[in-house]
Amino acid sequence: MERTFCITLFSSWLLLAFIIQAQSRPLDVRSFGAKSDGVSDISPALTSAWKKACDSPTPSKIIVPKGTFGLGKVTLEGPCKAPIELQVQGTLKAPQNPSLIKVGEWVTILYLDHFTLSGGGTFDGQGAIAWTQNDCSKTSECNKLPNSFSFGFLNNSIIRDITSKDSKLYHMTVLGCNNLTFSHVTITAPEHSLNTDGIHVGRSNGVKILDSTIGTGDDCISLGDGAKQVSVTNVVCGPGHGISVGSLGKFKNEEPVVGFLVRNCTLINTLNGVRIKTWPASETGAVTDMHFDDIIMRNVSNPIVIDQEYCPFNHCTLGIPSRVKISKVSFNNIRGTSASAVAVKLVCSKSLPCDGVHIGDVDLKYIGKLGNITTNCVNVQPAFMGRQNPPICAQNRNAQSS
Ligand SMILES: *[C@@H]1O[C@H](CO)[C@@H](O)[C@H](O)[C@H]1NC(C)=O
Ligand SMILES: *[C@@H]1O[C@H](CO)[C@@H](O)[C@H](O)[C@H]1NC(C)=O
Ligand SMILES: *[C@@H]1O[C@H](CO)[C@@H](O)[C@H](O)[C@H]1NC(C)=O
Ligand SMILES: *[C@@H]1O[C@H](CO)[C@@H](O)[C@H](O)[C@H]1NC(C)=O
Ligand SMILES: *[C@@H]1O[C@H](CO)[C@@H](O)[C@H](O)[C@H]1NC(C)=O
């Protein structure tokens, strides 16, 4: 009796020890040949560590320790047998010359379930040379440079405590993901860096961006077609172009953008605050269930924008209405300062006016000197609750009542 008990106890102890050991022996990239000299490319070491981790039947962890490492280009791909955590504590530097990355992105992470990227480290895209090669304002081609991160087809995954610095093009793109959370992420690049969008989410469901700081040269956060149930909470954004849905309607078969909740965010010195934009003369599409709550604007040029005549550099046909339908949009408790006189612009499509637009408390002050604060509303009849300062769509309301 006692003997059996002892054997059982001993074997459960063995099993436990095995599980603990299997879960807790992290794979340090240095033992796969990585050198922290700031230049040697650690991608072969990282790839070998990844293969081992991915084959492990129990959860595994890869560590890039403190120090500065060169990283040429890497693709970390699943599916893997168990959850994997990549913990980057040090700084990874991309090659400065964008042609060294050739096709694709700098760091590509694909087809994983229960993946975690963490560690407090920095991914430095070293974009300064690349930015001088970007000529979007002259041609409509400016997507030839590598993004820093591509997260594709990840389920139940977490990106936390990571800094992305000076990406060549976008910092992070998200495609085909389900239940992906970004938290305590820091994104930085100078205001003048072209097309360095922070986090772009397309064709994904359940992406959360929490407790993060994003200051960059383009949109802090942008949603492309097929983004569903995305939430952004406690994010500080600026400099940059703000939080954007779109541009939509350029391509055939774009999926609807459904469910966007932006809450308790602060935008500082950004070009836009919260914005939905679609091209004129567009393909068909839909944007619905967009909610912007508790947002502080500090010196934001265009705090609240719906623009269905979005046409930068005149690369489109103005005058033909957008065929993207925008519905169920709310703005509530939005306050602070506008750097331009038009604090609220709601320009909807003539053929598909915006529906179900609700505006609650808004308190915006113009801090420039070019006239008085105004709002501009076209093809939209918002429902109002609470108090609006300035009055929103006042001209339109007067026009209706006269
Ligand atoms: C992610 O979830 C989708 C939808 O449930 C599934 O088809 C896909 O195989 C999953 N991917 C991985 C890598 O687990
Ligand atoms: C989403 O992913 C997180 C992280 O892996 C996990 O803890 C959570 O249970 C997932 N949520 C759902 C609804 O599957
Ligand atoms: C709102 O966000 C700020 C950071 O931007 C944070 O400090 C604060 O705790 C958040 N408030 C709530 C109620 O979550
Ligand atoms: C306000 O924003 C404008 C335009 O972005 C900028 O030129 C100006 O320096 C900002 N003012 C302050 C006080 O930050
Ligand atoms: C601004 O508003 C004030 C007070 O309503 C009015 O007297 C003034 O003419 C307006 N100025 C301009 C440039 O519209």
Side-chain angles (χ1 to χ4, degrees):
M1 189 64 184
E2 196 174 273
R3 196 180 125 92
T4 324
F5 177 73
C6 271
I7 289 173
T8 314
L9 194 66
F10 181 68
S11 46
S12 8
W13 179 82
L14 261 186
L15 184 66
L16 191 68
F18 173 75
I19 291 173
I20 288 172
Q21 196 196 32
Q23 284 186 329
S24 68
R25 190 199 289 154
L27 307 172
D28 186 323
V29 287
R30 286 174 303 188
S31 52
F32 293 81
K35 289 197 186 64
S36 66
D37 57 12
V39 244
S40 307
D41 181 6
I42 70 159
S43 61
L46 186 53
T47 306
S48 310
W50 182 264
K51 279 197 184 110
K52 182 154 186 199
C54 189
D55 269 346
S56 161
T58 53
S60 53
K61 188 187 284 181
I62 297 171
I63 293 188
V64 177
K66 290 210 158 72
T68 304
F69 299 85
L71 176 65
K73 171 186 163 88
V74 77
T75 298
L76 304 174
E77 203 171 333
C80 297
K81 295 192 174 133
I84 298 192
E85 178 164 354
L86 171 58
Q87 207 177 78
V88 174
Q89 299 166 356
T91 296
L92 297 177
K93 286 188 180 276
Q96 293 192 10
N97 180 349
S99 64
L100 292 177
I101 295 182
K102 301 197 180 78
V103 286
E105 323 303 350
W106 181 32
V107 178
T108 303
I109 300 180
L110 292 171
Y111 306 113
L112 297 166
D113 193 10
H114 288 94
F115 168 71
T116 303
L117 176 62
S118 65
T122 298
F123 288 78
D124 183 351
Q126 302 213 89
I129 292 174
W131 303 329
T132 64
Q133 302 173 4
N134 217 337
D135 59 356
C136 289
S137 58
K138 296 177 199 112
T139 70
S140 52
E141 298 218 342
C142 43
N143 291 324
K144 295 279 158 76
L145 292 165
N147 299 314
S148 274
F149 285 96
S150 162
F151 298 111
F153 310 96
L154 305 181
N155 297 340
N156 309 311
S157 293
I158 299 173
I159 313 299
R160 63 174 152 84
D161 305 312
I162 280 296
T163 295
S164 173
K165 181 173 185 281
D166 295 348
S167 55
K168 292 178 169 56
L169 197 67
Y170 290 20
H171 289 266
M172 301 180 176
T173 63
V174 173
L175 185 75
C177 295
N178 295 297
N179 182 23
L180 174 64
T181 298
F182 292 83
S183 103
H184 296 98
V185 166
T186 304
I187 291 179
T188 75
E191 187 168 12
H192 66 78
S193 60
L194 288 170
N195 295 85
T196 54
D197 294 50
I199 304 178
H200 177 79
V201 180
R203 302 207 175 191
S204 291
N205 199 332
V207 175
K208 296 190 186 73
I209 302 170
L210 315 172
D211 305 312
S212 294
T213 304
I214 305 176
T216 192
D218 208 296
D219 293 339
C220 286
I221 293 168
S222 59
L223 264 51
D225 84 288
K228 298 192 168 67
Q229 310 311 331
V230 176
S231 65
V232 175
T233 310
N234 303 353
V235 168
V236 178
C237 160
H241 295 183
I243 297 176
S244 256
V245 177
S247 329
L248 294 164
K250 190 171 206 170
F251 303 103
K252 277 195 161 57
N253 304 317
E254 285 184 356
E255 292 177 13
V257 178
V258 181
F260 189 30
L261 174 58
V262 179
R263 202 173 39 190
N264 187 38
C265 292
T266 302
L267 292 109
I268 306 171
N269 296 333
T270 52
L271 182 59
N272 304 288
V274 292
R275 170 168 70 154
I276 302 172
K277 54 180 173 161
T278 76
W279 298 92
S282 74
E283 301 294 334
T284 58
V287 175
T288 189
D289 208 4
M290 305 280 116
H291 306 284
F292 304 96
D293 282 352
D294 302 325
I295 297 177
I296 297 173
M297 306 284 178
R298 288 205 191 124
N299 189 34
V300 170
S301 299
N302 306 290
I304 298 178
V305 179
I306 295 179
D307 184 2
Q308 296 211 262
E309 295 176 354
Y310 179 74
C311 184
F313 316 125
N314 288 317
H315 288 147
C316 48
T317 320
L318 273 169
I320 303 177
S322 169
R323 292 196 292 156
V324 176
K325 176 76 183 181
I326 297 178
S327 60
K328 294 192 199 156
V329 182
S330 68
F331 301 96
N332 188 37
N333 195 18
I334 299 191
R335 58 202 191 279
T337 53
S338 175
S340 78
V342 184
V344 178
K345 173 178 171 178
L346 305 175
V347 173
C348 294
S349 165
K350 188 170 186 193
S351 62
L352 292 170
C354 297
D355 272 346
V357 176
H358 289 255
I359 299 183
D361 291 333
V362 173
D363 189 359
L364 292 168
K365 199 179 283 147
Y366 171 44
I367 52 172
K369 297 195 173 65
L370 302 170
N372 292 330
I373 192 165
T374 61
T375 69
N376 177 21
C377 305
V378 179
N379 301 315
V380 58
Q381 310 268 335
F384 293 94
M385 292 147 295
R387 288 193 54 201
Q388 294 85 35
N389 173 35
I392 295 173
C393 313
Q395 309 91 317
N396 314 51
R397 281 188 272 178
N398 292 342
Q400 278 154 34
S401 55
S402 63

